[in-house]
């Protein structure tokens, strides 16, 4: 899971000559591929952009537990249930890594989570789509985690050290989930009944375009990309990554014996890539604005979880304080 | 009943309780009071469902009637389920969930410790592996009972409300039936009296540390999970859990 469309707050990328000595030293370090660490000087806009991106990425892991949580109580076999539980547990763990990476930038976890709950912070648009049949668990693993991996593999080389190291750890687990997701679909297509095969195609039909949207707006409408690329927070453009994902995913789709809901999808010999149809950007922006199919439910669930848990967290703090007082008195 | 039948029945009890407790924990997904708890609740649930699979695999082998662990989990009705009444109770708030987890863990730990020395090698092996996991579960739930019991006024009040909701179901944890006695005599399961007294002692210790009053031992209760006489909660839980296997009985997942 990851962050799409992150504001940098920068209108135009400065050239070296326009920079202060500090900014210039920073940019030269970036250009030399030296990782930025928590105690290093960094432009405030770089810090704020990373806080937004990493928190968005963390929020995505946490909200991303919900579409799968929807089926964990209904998983069809013990093996599938165990796999799904392990995956959800990993996602909570990824959320924790990412919030920790974000906190090295001086941000506060609780404050950033409050922004998510009030609609001021985003998470990946994909988790605003409902999971309607069991094959969605396979399709989410294969397409959604697949799209996330294409992005995160590149982010392993992102310029901020703590973020890049979190990505290395996360990618290992995500790759495992993606294979398991694909295997769910392959099992249903190879050994399943017609009803199961229909579920698989239905899941792909519903999740194909939303998965392509995970790479963010096309490059021409990505005003923040230039600065993120100059800072090497992003390493490749949205459209490049989207194309890579399609190129690697179509053969897997064919191996399943399924089709994409895109009549324009075909191999282009000259380009050496698949051509594909136009994304419905109006849907993308609606979902991002909060008007997707499950935006309201997802945020309400997360907000309720934290609100209903306030007394639990307060009890833990009060108990820890009492224990400390006992130790001090002894 | 033959020794084999007795053992099958006992394995179903162990497996069903772990499975139903795991299923209840799944319901917490995305709703825990803190991120660390999302991780921990799912982790404990994962352990328990894994243990359920081990017990049900063994039961299926002994049954040798063509049913496998999945068949046992997803195709038996509530009258054939053998789990403790305690674990099928709804999650309620975090105080109810943690009290339920603790009462079960404290019992589960004693049972598994005894079973890890079982005369049945397969039982001993599964129990030894599960015991490592349940040692962690018990530590965690004991700590939460203390945090909540001896935390704020509100958390103490909620714990005091949670205990009576669950306490009557503990009668099954401490009262052995004929099956327990027979398997104990055969050297397969531990002494039921020892489990009961060790459970009682652990609960008393943790409740005292949590500033919670220890209730009187629970008395006779009409229902019995061990005999498939469940509360009204199990049917709904199974309807949700078994839906896909019931709707598509010929499917391979």
């Amino acid at each position: 899971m990851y962050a799409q469309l992150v504001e940098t707050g920068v209108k135009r990328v400065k050239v070296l000559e326009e920079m202060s000595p500090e900014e210039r030293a920073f940019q030269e370090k970036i250009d030399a591929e030296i990782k930025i660490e928590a105690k290093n000087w960094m432009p405030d806009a770089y810090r704020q952009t990373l806080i937004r991106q990493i928190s968005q990425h963390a929020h995505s892991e946490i909200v991303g537990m919900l579409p799968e949580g929807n089926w964990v109580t209904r998983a069809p076999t013990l093996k599938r249930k165990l796999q799904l539980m392990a995956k959800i547990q990993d996602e909570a763990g990824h959320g924790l890594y990412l919030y920790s990476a974000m906190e090295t930038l001086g941000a506060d976890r609780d404050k950033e989570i409050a922004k998510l709950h009030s609609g001021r912070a985003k998470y990946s648009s994909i988790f605003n789509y409902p999971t309607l049949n069991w094959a969605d668990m396979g399709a989410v693993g294969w397409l959604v985690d697949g799209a996330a991996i294409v992005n995160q593999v590149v982010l392993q080389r992102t310029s901020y050290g703590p973020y890049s190291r979190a990505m290395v750890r996360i990618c290992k687990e995500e790759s495992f989930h993606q294979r398991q997701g694909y295997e769910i679909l392959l099992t249903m297509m190879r050994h399943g009944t017609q009803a199961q095969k229909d579920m698989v195609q239905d899941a792909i039909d519903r999740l194909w375009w939303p998965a392509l949207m995970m790479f963010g707006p096309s490059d021409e409408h990505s005003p923040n990309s230039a600065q993120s690329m100059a800072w090497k927070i992003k390493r490749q453009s949205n459209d490049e990554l989207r194309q890579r994902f399609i190129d690697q995913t179509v053969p897997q789709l064919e191996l399943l014996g399924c089709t994409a809901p895109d009549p324009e999808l075909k191999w282009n010999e000259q380009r050496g890539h698949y051509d594909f149809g136009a994304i419905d950007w109006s849907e993308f922006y609606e979902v991002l604005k909060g008007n997707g199919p499950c935006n309201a439910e997802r945020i309400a669930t997360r907000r309720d979880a934290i609100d209903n848990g306030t007394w639990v967290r307060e009890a833990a703090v009060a108990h820890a304080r009492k224990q400390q007082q006992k130790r001090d008195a002894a | 009943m033959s020794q084999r039948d007795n053992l099958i029945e006992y394995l179903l009890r162990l497996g069903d309780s772990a499975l139903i407790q795991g299923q209840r924990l799944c319901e917490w997904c995305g709703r825990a009071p803190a991120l660390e708890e999302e991780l921990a609740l799912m982790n404990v649930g994962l352990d328990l469902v894994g243990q359920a699979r081990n017990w049900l695999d063994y039961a299926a082998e002994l049954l040798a009637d063509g049913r496998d662990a999945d068949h046992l989990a997803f195709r038996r009705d509530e009258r054939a389920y053998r789990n403790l009444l305690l674990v099928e109770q709804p999650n309620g708030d975090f105080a109810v969930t943690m009290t339920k987890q603790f009462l079960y863990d404290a019992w589960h730990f004693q049972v598994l410790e005894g079973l890890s020395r079982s005369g049945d090698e397969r039982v001993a092996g599964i129990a030894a592996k599960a015991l490592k996991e349940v040692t962690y579960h018990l530590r965690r739930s004991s700590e939460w009972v203390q945090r909540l019991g001896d935390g704020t006024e509100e958390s103490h009040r909620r714990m005091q409300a949670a205990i009576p909701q669950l306490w009557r179901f503990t009668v099954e944890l401490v009262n052995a039936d004929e099956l327990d006695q027979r398997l104990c005599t055969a050297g397969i399961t531990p002494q039921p009296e020892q489990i009961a007294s060790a459970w009682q002692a652990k609960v008393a210790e943790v409740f005292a540390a949590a500033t919670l009053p220890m209730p009187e031992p629970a008395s006779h209760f009409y229902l019995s999970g061990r005999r498939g006489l469940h509360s009204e909660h199990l049917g709904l839980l199974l309807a949700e859990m078994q839906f896909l296997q019931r709707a598509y009985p010929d499917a391979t997942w």
Side-chain angles (χ1 to χ4, degrees):
Chain A
M1 319 315 146
Y2 82 109
Q4 64 203 146
L5 215 158
V6 178
E7 301 286 332
T8 57
V10 175
K11 295 218 164 53
R12 188 177 64 81
V13 181
K14 282 185 192 171
V15 293
L16 281 178
E17 292 71 39
E18 298 171 288
M19 293 178 183
S20 69
E22 273 174 323
E23 284 176 317
R24 192 167 171 150
F26 172 82
Q27 189 62 48
E28 281 168 354
K29 210 169 156 184
I30 297 270
D31 293 342
E33 297 286 334
I34 297 166
K35 291 272 181 271
I36 307 300
E37 298 297 338
K39 288 182 176 168
N40 298 153
W41 186 89
M42 60 187 86
D44 193 52
Y46 175 85
R47 185 185 299 276
Q48 296 310 325
T49 300
L50 270 172
I51 290 172
R52 276 191 289 270
Q53 174 154 345
I54 302 174
S55 65
Q56 204 180 118
H57 198 152
H59 299 335
S60 300
E61 295 284 356
I62 301 311
V63 177
M65 294 165 66
L66 300 175
E68 290 169 332
N70 183 37
W71 280 91
V72 69
T73 55
R74 290 180 287 171
T77 67
L78 293 169
K79 176 180 150 188
R80 295 299 182 207
K81 198 180 198 72
L82 288 164
Q83 284 177 347
L84 197 55
M85 293 171 86
K87 183 178 179 198
I88 291 168
Q89 195 193 333
D90 282 349
E91 282 158 359
H94 296 171
L96 280 175
Y97 294 160
L98 287 161
Y99 284 123
S100 300
M102 179 198 77
E103 287 181 327
T104 65
L105 291 157
D108 177 78
R109 202 218 278 194
D110 293 340
K111 282 186 189 149
E112 295 304 318
I113 289 173
K115 283 187 198 165
L116 169 73
H117 295 175
S118 66
R120 280 174 295 150
K122 295 189 184 77
Y123 55 92
S124 181
S125 57
I126 190 75
F127 302 118
N128 293 311
Y129 290 84
T131 51
L132 301 177
N133 76 43
W134 170 254
D136 287 27
M137 295 303 99
V140 165
W142 171 48
L143 292 175
V144 175
D145 290 50
I149 291 164
V150 166
N151 228 286
Q152 291 174 164
V153 162
V154 191
L155 285 175
Q156 292 181 101
R157 295 189 296 117
T158 195
S159 59
Y160 187 58
Y163 192 26
S164 124
R165 289 189 289 274
M167 282 302 107
V168 173
R169 294 181 67 174
I170 289 174
C171 276
K172 285 182 194 157
E173 293 179 347
E174 295 275 22
S175 307
F176 188 65
H177 299 158
Q178 197 213 3
R179 281 200 298 277
Q180 275 181 347
Y182 191 67
E183 199 253 336
I184 287 175
L185 300 182
L186 207 55
T187 303
M188 291 172 80
M189 290 306 293
R190 295 230 166 129
H191 309 287
T193 60
Q194 189 56 47
Q196 287 178 290
K197 290 175 187 172
D198 294 346
M199 283 181 206
V200 175
Q201 185 61 57
D202 176 53
I204 294 169
D205 288 347
R206 284 180 289 106
L207 289 167
W208 180 262
W209 291 110
L212 297 186
M213 292 176 196
M214 288 176 68
F215 295 92
S218 62
D219 294 348
E220 59 202 290
H221 295 108
S222 228
N224 299 290
S225 286
Q227 183 63 72
S228 279
M229 300 271 271
W231 281 330
K232 297 192 179 178
I233 294 176
K234 278 177 85 118
R235 305 294 313 230
Q236 274 178 305
S237 82
N238 295 350
D239 286 334
E240 281 173 330
L241 293 170
R242 187 168 11 244
Q243 182 71 59
R244 179 178 305 161
F245 173 71
I246 289 173
D247 289 347
Q248 75 180 39
T249 303
V250 173
Q252 296 164 2
L253 181 72
E254 287 168 354
L255 188 69
L256 283 175
C258 292
T259 56
D262 180 0
E264 290 172 55
L265 182 73
K266 62 171 184 296
W267 179 250
N268 182 325
E269 193 66 51
Q270 274 184 322
R271 290 205 308 130
H273 291 293
Y274 282 92
D275 289 339
F276 57 98
I279 288 172
D280 182 351
W281 292 113
S282 63
E283 175 176 321
F284 172 76
Y285 287 109
E286 281 300 312
V287 174
L288 224 55
K289 260 197 304 189
N291 300 329
C294 298
N295 297 56
E297 288 87 346
R298 300 292 188 241
I299 289 299
T301 303
R302 289 307 307 151
R303 199 171 42 218
D304 288 352
I306 296 305
D307 289 354
N308 296 338
T310 303
W311 70 271
V312 177
R313 297 189 302 278
E314 285 172 354
V317 171
H319 181 74
R321 197 176 298 131
K322 285 183 191 175
Q323 295 297 102
Q324 186 61 45
Q325 282 165 355
K326 273 185 204 165
R327 277 194 296 273
D328 291 348
Chain B
M1 280 212 293
S2 70
Q3 172 108 333
R4 176 179 146 279
D5 290 343
N6 286 332
L7 181 54
I8 291 168
E9 188 72 8
Y10 189 78
L11 292 170
L12 291 178
R13 290 181 182 182
L14 290 169
D16 290 351
S17 286
L19 179 58
I20 301 301
Q21 180 70 7
Q23 174 76 4
R24 284 293 187 213
L25 292 174
C26 286
E27 295 172 9
W28 271 101
C29 178
R31 292 165 174 79
L35 203 41
E36 288 79 357
E37 290 310 303
E38 294 285 353
L39 206 62
L41 292 166
M42 201 52 74
N43 188 351
V44 172
L46 185 64
D47 288 343
L48 291 172
V49 176
Q51 292 171 22
R53 182 162 70 162
N54 291 335
W55 295 125
L56 295 180
D57 271 338
Y58 188 22
E61 275 176 45
L62 293 174
L63 278 165
D65 60 3
R67 288 187 291 173
D68 60 8
D70 283 330
H71 204 292
L72 292 174
F74 295 99
R75 305 276 191 99
R76 269 181 306 145
D77 287 336
E78 58 181 290
R79 286 289 281 115
Y81 254 79
R82 295 290 179 254
N83 61 281
L84 297 164
L85 295 167
L86 177 71
V87 299
E88 73 196 36
Q89 299 312 305
N91 285 334
D93 65 7
F94 198 67
V96 173
T97 288
M98 275 303 145
T99 303
K100 185 166 53 148
Q101 185 72 44
F102 167 66
L103 295 172
Y104 173 62
D105 290 343
W107 172 86
H108 203 192
F109 177 86
Q110 296 301 332
V111 170
L112 290 172
E113 196 178 46
L115 290 177
S116 66
R117 294 186 296 269
S118 172
D120 183 299
E121 266 184 43
R122 179 82 175 269
V123 167
I126 297 172
K129 182 176 176 294
L131 182 61
K132 288 183 197 151
E133 296 168 343
V134 172
T135 302
Y136 155 71
H137 302 174
L138 177 59
R139 193 181 128 198
R140 194 182 108 75
S141 60
S142 302
E143 286 173 357
W144 266 116
V145 167
Q146 289 168 63
R147 277 189 206 112
L148 298 177
D150 188 22
T152 60
E153 264 180 48
E154 183 181 9
S155 69
H156 185 82
R157 179 181 61 72
R158 286 181 187 253
M159 287 301 284
Q160 282 211 300
I163 294 168
Q165 282 183 45
L166 299 167
W167 192 254
R168 59 202 164 122
F169 302 113
T170 63
V171 70
E172 285 191 302
L173 306 179
V174 291
N175 288 1
D177 66 1
E178 275 182 36
L179 180 72
D180 290 314
Q181 298 294 358
R182 281 200 297 270
L183 285 167
C184 176
T185 309
I188 292 172
T189 63
Q191 281 271 339
E193 300 78 18
Q194 275 180 16
I195 292 172
S197 62
W199 176 85
Q200 177 90 7
K202 181 69 185 177
V203 174
E205 172 206 322
V206 171
F207 276 18
T211 70
L212 294 163
M214 180 75 178
E216 291 296 308
S219 57
H220 169 77
F221 195 64
Y222 296 95
L223 303 176
S224 162
R226 293 181 295 210
R227 286 188 291 126
L229 289 169
H230 291 277
S231 61
E232 289 178 347
H233 302 294
L234 187 66
L236 284 167
L237 182 150
L238 293 182
E240 178 173 346
M241 188 175 85
Q242 298 180 334
F243 149 70
L244 279 168
Q245 285 269 357
R246 299 286 193 176
Y248 305 96
D250 307 323
T252 304
W253 304 98

